[in-house]
Amino acid sequence: MTTPMTDAHPGLQVRGLHAGYPGRPVVQDVDLSVPAGHVAAVVGPNGCGKSTLLRTIARLHRPTRGAVLADGTDIWKLTQRQVAHCVALLPQSPRAPEAVTVAGLVRYGRHPHQGLLRQWSREDERAVRDALEATGTTALAGERLDRLSGGQRQRCWLAMVLAQHTPVVLLDEPTSALDLGHVVDVLTLVRQVAAAGRTVVMVLHDLASAARYADTLIAMKDGRVVAQGPPQEIVDEALVKELYDLEADILRAPGDACPVVVPRARG
Amino acid sequence: MTPPARGPHPAADPQAPGGEATAPAAPRAESEPAGPTGPTGPTGPARPTGPARPEAVTAPEAVTAPEAVTARADATVPAAALVPEDSVVLRGGTFSWLFPRRGALVAALLVPVLVVLVALAVMASSTGMSPRDTLSGLLGTGDPGTVMIVRDFRLPRVCVGVMVGAALGVAGCLTQTLAGNRLATPDLIGVNEGATAAVVATAAGSSTGMVGDWWLGPLGAVAAAVLVVLCAGGAGSAGYRVLVVGIGVSTVIGAMGDLVMSRENDNTAGGVFLWAVGSLSGRDWHVGTPLLIVLLFLLPLALAAGHRLQLLRFDDDTAACLGVDLRRLRAAALALAVALAGVAVGVGGPIAFVALAAPIVAGRLSGPTRVPVTGSALTGAALITAADALGRVVAPVELPVGVVTSVLGGPFLLWVLFRTDSTTGKA
C-alpha cells in the first residue's frame, strides 16, 4: 500500500470494545484495526450496533469495556478538544447553525485548532480552502447551506470534517439520502480522503457500495462482528443470509471482480 | 494540552509569511486536473473505475506531512473570501485574531446611544430640570439641593439601571442560546420567583414589614435556579429540560410566596408589590458597588464564552466532535446566566421583557451567525435606562421601571411571535 504520506500514522485500533446502555449491551467484543489510508465500511442490519460503534469510536459514548486507540492514543485519556484533533465524525443527520454559509460551516471544522490567541491562522485558511477544493464546493463558498440541494449539502459537511485535519475520519451513513450519482460522488471523495493518508471508517447500509469502495468490510450483527476483511473475500451468500436473512446471488463485477449482491425475491 | 494527532501546528508550519507556493507545491499543482476540483466545483469529482484508489492527490491533505500543507498560490479562492464575512484578520507571528467588524460597528452605534440615554435619564424628572442645572449638579457647582439630587439620587440610580440592564441582557442571551429558543429567558428558570420569595419572606418576618437587605434577592434567585437545575438532572442536561422543570418549580415557589403574602397586612403587601414589579427607586451605590464588582467578574467570562457558544447551534454530536465539552459548556453558561440574572433581579426586582428583548434586538444588529453577548449587554442597559427615565417623566407619580417595560414589552413580544424573519424564512 502506498500513500502520498511521508509519515504514516497508526490509524485506528479498537480493542475488546463493549458498549451499550444499562442492561442492554449494543456493541460486544469488537476488535478492529484500520490502518492509515484505508477505508473500512461497517455494514449490517438495522439496530445491529453500527452507529453505536461509530459513536463510541468518536468518544460520544463511553464504552463499558475495551479501548479505542486513535493515532495510537486511548481517546478516553484525552480531553474532548484533544480528541477533536484525532477523530472527526460526520453524524447521519447533522444540524447546522441557522443561516450559516458554506464557508462558514467549513470554518467550524477549524474550531478545535483555534483559541483566544489563534483565531484564524494561515493554516486554518489553507485547510478550509483545501477542503472546499477537495469536495468541489469552492464555487458554493458564499452560498447559504440551507439553500443547497441534498447532494451539495453533504459535500459541504464533508468539507467541514476534512478541514478538521484529523487522521481518523468517521462517517455515519454519508450517502443515506442521496441519489446514485451523488452517492458515487461522495464515496469517490471518501477514497480520495483515504488516499491522502487518512483512516476512514463509515457506516453504510448499502452492501454494494460498501463492497465497491471499502478496503475492509466489517459485518455486524447483534452487536458483534461476524466477518471482517476485504469485500472480495468475505461477501458471499452465507454472509448475506446471516446478516439480512436473505437469499441472494453474488455476482462479480466484470472489471474488478468486486462482489455485487442481488437479492432473490422472497418466496 | 498538545494533542497526539500529528496535525500540522504552527511550529511545524514551513510556510513563509507571504503564502507563496514553495517547491513541494509545484508537482501537486501539475497532478491536479482542473476537472473535479476546479472552479466548476459542483460537478463533483470523477467517478472511480474500481476499488483501486483514484490517484487522489487532490484530497485534503496532510494529516501528518508538514510539507503537504505548504501553501499553494491559488487563484480560485482569495483568502479574503474564506475569512468570516463580518471580520478582519489580524496576524502577528503565530498569533492571529479576528476583529469582528460588524460587531464593532454595532457597539460603536450602541455606546453613543447609551451615553445619550444616560444623560437624558440623569436629567429626567417630573418637575423638569434644565440641562444646565443638571450639569452644575453633576459637577458640584450648583446649589446644594440640586447637587444632592443629581449626585446622590439620580446618577447612582441610572448607573444601577445600566448594570441591571446589561446583566439581564447577557443572561437572556445565554439562556436563549442554551435553549436554542428566543423565548427562553432567565425568568423561566425560577430566578424571579426565587428572588421575590426571599424578599417576601424577609418582609413577612420583620415586624415593620420592611424589605430586607439587598443581597437576599440575589440569594433567593440563585437558590431557586439551583433547585430547578437539580430537579432537571444537572446543569449539563439539554436546555429545554431545564426550562420545562423551571416553569414547574417557579409556579410552586410563586404560589408559596402568594400564600405568605395573602396573610400579611396591606403595608407589607404594598412594599413587596413595589419590589416585585421591578423598580430602581432608591437604588444607590449601596447596591451599585457590589453589583459592579460582580459584573466586572462575570461579564468577561460571558464574553469569553461567546465564541464557543456558537457551537451550541449545531446538533450535540457535531458540536462534541468539534471539540466542545457540551456538559461543561452548558453548565458554565447556565451558571453565568443564573448569576447574572440573579444579581440583576435581586437588585432591581423582576423587571420584565429586557432579558427577552435585548438579545433579540442585538441579534438583529450583529447578524445571525454570532452570539451577541456585547450587543445584548449594551441593548439591555439602554432599554432599562430609557424605561426608567420614561417612568419618571410620563406620569405625575413615578412609574416603576418594571411597569414601563411590561407595557412596552407586550407589543414587542407579539411582534417577535408574529414577525417572520425575512433572512431565515422562519418564524
Side-chain angles (χ1 to χ4, degrees):
Chain A
M1 239 236 34
T2 56
T3 69
M5 311 269 315
T6 53
D7 177 19
H9 59 84
L12 177 78
Q13 275 86 38
V14 174
R15 291 185 188 151
L17 197 72
H18 291 252
Y21 304 91
R24 190 165 71 87
V26 180
V27 172
Q28 296 181 62
D29 201 22
V30 170
D31 279 284
L32 298 177
S33 181
V34 188
H38 266 246
V39 176
V42 185
V43 295
N46 291 339
C48 71
K50 296 177 295 208
S51 286
T52 304
L53 173 64
L54 210 65
R55 284 173 52 83
T56 311
I57 295 174
R59 200 186 183 269
L60 295 172
H61 191 100
R62 191 184 276 275
T64 44
R65 238 159 65 200
V68 175
L69 287 89
D71 210 29
T73 317
D74 185 342
I75 56 165
W76 282 98
K77 296 210 167 84
L78 304 175
T79 64
Q80 191 80 49
R81 191 176 158 92
Q82 287 171 327
V83 170
H85 287 243
C86 324
V87 181
L89 167 77
L90 178 55
Q92 190 173 351
S93 24
R95 189 187 72 226
E98 206 175 290
V100 76
T101 61
V102 171
L105 180 74
V106 180
R107 275 196 297 270
Y108 276 113
R110 298 305 295 168
H111 184 266
H113 302 269
Q114 292 167 337
L116 204 57
L117 298 178
R118 196 170 163 234
Q119 301 183 345
W120 187 246
S121 63
R122 289 184 196 285
E123 198 187 309
D124 293 334
E125 203 166 286
R126 262 196 313 278
V128 169
R129 173 184 298 151
D130 291 346
L132 288 169
E133 272 181 26
T135 53
T137 48
T138 303
L140 304 175
E143 301 282 325
R144 269 178 52 170
L145 187 74
D146 51 9
R147 300 203 173 137
L148 302 181
S149 73
Q152 289 173 324
R153 258 208 300 275
Q154 191 64 349
R155 285 214 308 272
C156 298
W157 280 106
L158 273 169
M160 184 190 89
V161 167
L162 298 184
Q164 209 174 326
H165 265 269
T166 55
V168 177
V169 175
L170 308 175
L171 310 169
D172 193 355
E173 302 269 16
T175 60
S176 57
L178 304 180
D179 64 45
L180 188 58
H182 286 113
V183 167
V184 171
D185 281 352
V186 165
L187 292 177
T188 305
L189 194 58
V190 166
R191 287 260 37 127
Q192 293 173 345
V193 170
R198 303 201 204 193
T199 307
V200 182
V201 179
M202 58 181 170
V203 167
L204 284 182
H205 60 224
D206 177 22
L207 196 51
S209 328
R212 170 134 282 188
Y213 286 91
D215 300 296
T216 310
L217 215 57
I218 297 153
M220 283 183 77
K221 178 150 196 208
D222 298 333
R224 293 180 185 277
V225 174
V226 295
Q228 186 176 173
Q232 287 90 335
E233 292 171 21
I234 68 161
V235 176
D236 55 21
E237 283 85 351
L239 181 70
V240 176
K241 172 83 181 157
E242 179 174 9
L243 290 183
Y244 303 104
D245 189 25
L246 195 67
E247 304 295 335
D249 296 309
I250 308 294
L251 313 181
R252 296 284 157 184
D256 53 9
C258 177
V260 180
V261 179
V262 184
R264 287 184 214 141
R266 271 185 172 136
Chain B
M1 177 68 222
T2 307
R6 319 240 180 90
H9 55 88
D13 188 349
Q15 190 228 340
E20 305 84 354
T22 46
R28 286 178 56 85
E30 280 166 34
S31 70
E32 270 174 18
T37 57
T40 55
T43 53
R47 297 181 184 184
T49 51
R53 243 148 262 118
E55 66 292 334
V57 223
T58 56
E61 72 268 346
V63 222
T64 59
E67 55 268 54
V69 267
T70 306
R72 278 178 280 164
D74 193 306
T76 52
V77 205
L82 299 174
V83 176
E85 299 77 11
D86 56 1
S87 300
V88 178
V89 191
L90 306 170
R91 286 194 183 120
T94 57
F95 300 127
S96 56
W97 294 272
L98 285 175
F99 176 73
R101 199 172 26 178
R102 183 165 171 180
L105 208 69
V106 169
L109 175 87
L110 287 175
V111 168
V113 167
L114 182 58
V115 169
V116 168
L117 284 172
V118 165
L120 288 175
V122 172
M123 245 189 305
S125 72
S126 51
T127 56
M129 185 183 272
S130 71
R132 182 194 297 270
D133 285 349
T134 312
L135 191 66
S136 65
L138 201 58
L139 298 173
T141 54
D143 66 273
T146 312
V147 172
M148 194 179 76
I149 289 175
V150 172
R151 279 192 173 178
D152 295 346
F153 294 110
R154 291 207 194 138
L155 187 64
R157 173 183 178 152
V158 170
C159 289
V160 168
V162 166
M163 290 188 281
V164 165
L168 284 176
V170 174
C173 177
L174 291 171
T175 49
Q176 288 180 9
T177 310
L178 275 172
N181 188 327
R182 286 183 294 174
L183 299 180
T185 52
D187 357 335
L188 294 184
I189 43 178
V191 173
N192 289 353
E193 283 73 13
T196 310
V199 169
V200 167
T202 57
S206 81
S207 52
T208 56
M210 287 289 286
V211 170
D213 280 331
W214 73 271
W215 48 265
L216 284 161
L219 198 70
V222 172
V226 168
L227 181 67
V228 166
V229 168
L230 287 179
C231 290
S237 41
Y240 72 90
R241 194 179 152 131
V242 174
L243 295 180
V244 171
V245 174
I247 291 169
V249 173
S250 326
T251 309
V252 173
I253 297 175
M256 276 162 32
D258 289 348
L259 196 67
V260 174
M261 282 295 295
S262 64
R263 303 176 62 87
E264 292 299 317
N265 59 37
D266 291 353
N267 211 359
T268 312
V272 172
F273 169 77
L274 186 62
W275 191 90
V277 78
S279 169
L280 293 171
S281 179
R283 303 301 191 276
D284 55 17
W285 290 116
H286 179 60
V287 295
T289 313
L291 182 59
L292 180 67
I293 293 169
V294 172
L295 291 198
L296 283 179
F297 178 65
L298 294 180
L299 285 181
L301 290 178
L303 279 174
H307 179 65
R308 221 165 254 212
L309 285 171
Q310 290 177 33
L311 278 100
L312 289 177
R313 296 178 174 180
F314 281 99
D315 59 292
D316 284 4
D317 283 1
T318 306
C321 285
L322 289 172
V324 180
D325 190 330
L326 283 171
R327 290 194 75 86
R328 256 174 60 182
L329 179 62
R330 287 213 176 97
L334 192 63
L336 269 175
V338 165
L340 283 166
V343 290
V345 171
V347 167
I351 302 170
F353 285 110
V354 173
L356 171 76
I360 295 177
V361 172
R364 285 278 150 78
L365 292 172
S366 60
T369 55
R370 298 274 168 179
V371 176
V373 178
T374 316
S376 300
L378 292 170
T379 311
L383 283 177
I384 290 220
T385 309
D388 187 38
L390 210 60
R392 279 184 284 139
V393 173
V394 288
V397 183
E398 181 183 314
L399 286 180
V401 61
V403 172
V404 178
T405 56
S406 293
V407 167
L408 299 178
F412 179 81
L413 181 62
L414 291 176
W415 177 71
V416 170
L417 287 173
F418 288 120
R419 184 178 181 277
T420 303
D421 189 336
S422 58
T423 55
T424 62
K426 284 188 190 162

